[in-house]
Amino acid sequence: IITSGYVATTIDNSKTTLGRNGSDFTATILASILDIKKVEIYSDVDGVLSCDPRKVKKAKLIPNLSYKQISEMCYFGASVLHPKTLIPLKNKNVELYMKNTFKPYLEGTKIVENFTTSNQIDAITSITDNSLITIKGKGMLGICGISYKLFKILIENDISTSFITQASSEQNLCISIKNEYISRVNKKLHNIFKNEISLGQIDKIKINKNIVIVTVIGNNMNNRVGIAGEIFTILGKNNINIIAISQGTSEISISFVIKKQDELKALNALHEEFI
């Protein structure tokens, strides 16, 4: 059977699309409905790589991954697959293969619900089209509603954030959003926080467009004591300053913000050490 993908219909019969990677999403939806046990998705690469080969020449093919690993990779910058593509496959025990259209004889990358590996780190990704918003102020300590007002702006403008961190002292709150939204959000932030700024509760709302979010991903990171220390030691040896740090509760990824000019140096140094 040959069928189309990407184009869809809403519940009220309006024409719509499935968005980015909609054809891949179509394939996994059909696999879920029809109880198919194997899905192959073809692109222009041999499979899922350990890093962007345009940035790290020694990037390696990853033969096996779990749904959780590939989801983290895609969310944090790997463009090979959209995280929503995996949603229909949850608890279906479907094998998903990423293969090369021009080299179909290659095995590619096999993605399954659960996969155990001995690797400390499986992949390193980076996001370059984001800006970092930092809200600072000694008067923020104990003030209710700062985070609420910030995220209310994002919700009202249908903007998502890929990075969030707050100092335990409550004097510093950082988030990242795509560059295309930064001018609009910056104006709204200064407007909604004008009272806090006038009272000195907030000292500064800083926008940094010259940043990169680097994420180190590995299934065994949560079992390895000192892995974060090793990562930051390597960055220190290469004179790379870390602007902000965030770790997900899944403990299989650590994200940090650095200057755009240090991206290639950081990716290659970490890849050389761990992969």
Side-chain angles (χ1 to χ4, degrees), residues 50-119:
S50 56
C51 201
D52 188 335
R54 296 167 297 183
K55 299 174 182 178
V56 176
K57 299 301 182 185
K58 294 182 179 179
K60 301 175 182 177
L61 176 71
I62 307 175
N64 296 281
L65 284 169
S66 67
Y67 287 174
K68 184 183 288 186
Q69 288 168 297
I70 190 67
S71 181
E72 291 277 321
M73 290 175 65
C74 295
Y75 182 78
F76 287 110
S79 59
V80 67
L81 191 71
H82 195 284
K84 69 183 179 185
T85 306
L86 300 169
I87 295 172
L89 305 183
K90 188 172 178 61
N91 301 320
K92 287 285 188 173
N93 198 28
V94 177
E95 294 179 354
L96 179 64
Y97 289 81
M98 302 299 301
K99 305 190 73 172
N100 192 331
T101 304
F102 307 103
K103 301 175 186 177
Y105 50 86
L106 296 179
E107 289 294 324
T109 299
K110 179 181 178 181
I111 305 167
V112 294
E113 185 112 27
N114 296 297
F115 174 71
T116 303
T117 174
S118 59
N119 298 336

Side-chain angles (χ1 to χ4, degrees), residues 38-51:
K38 179 180 177 180
V39 176
E40 294 179 350
I41 292 178
Y42 289 83
S43 65
D44 59 351
V45 292
D46 293 343
V48 181
L49 301 181
S50 56
C51 201

Side-chain angles (χ1 to χ4, degrees), residues 50-56 72-79 123-130 162 211-217 254-256 258-260 262-264 266-268 270:
S50 56
C51 201
D52 188 335
R54 296 167 297 183
K55 299 174 182 178
V56 176
E72 291 277 321
M73 290 175 65
C74 295
Y75 182 78
F76 287 110
S79 59
I124 304 167
T125 65
S126 62
I127 300 175
T128 58
D129 62 344
N130 275 228
S162 55
I211 60 106
V212 171
I213 304 168
V214 177
T215 302
V216 179
I217 301 160
I254 296 176
S255 298
F256 51 89
I258 59 175
K259 292 179 181 178
K260 179 71 175 71
D262 292 327
E263 179 189 11
L264 296 183
L267 292 176
N268 282 275
L270 292 169

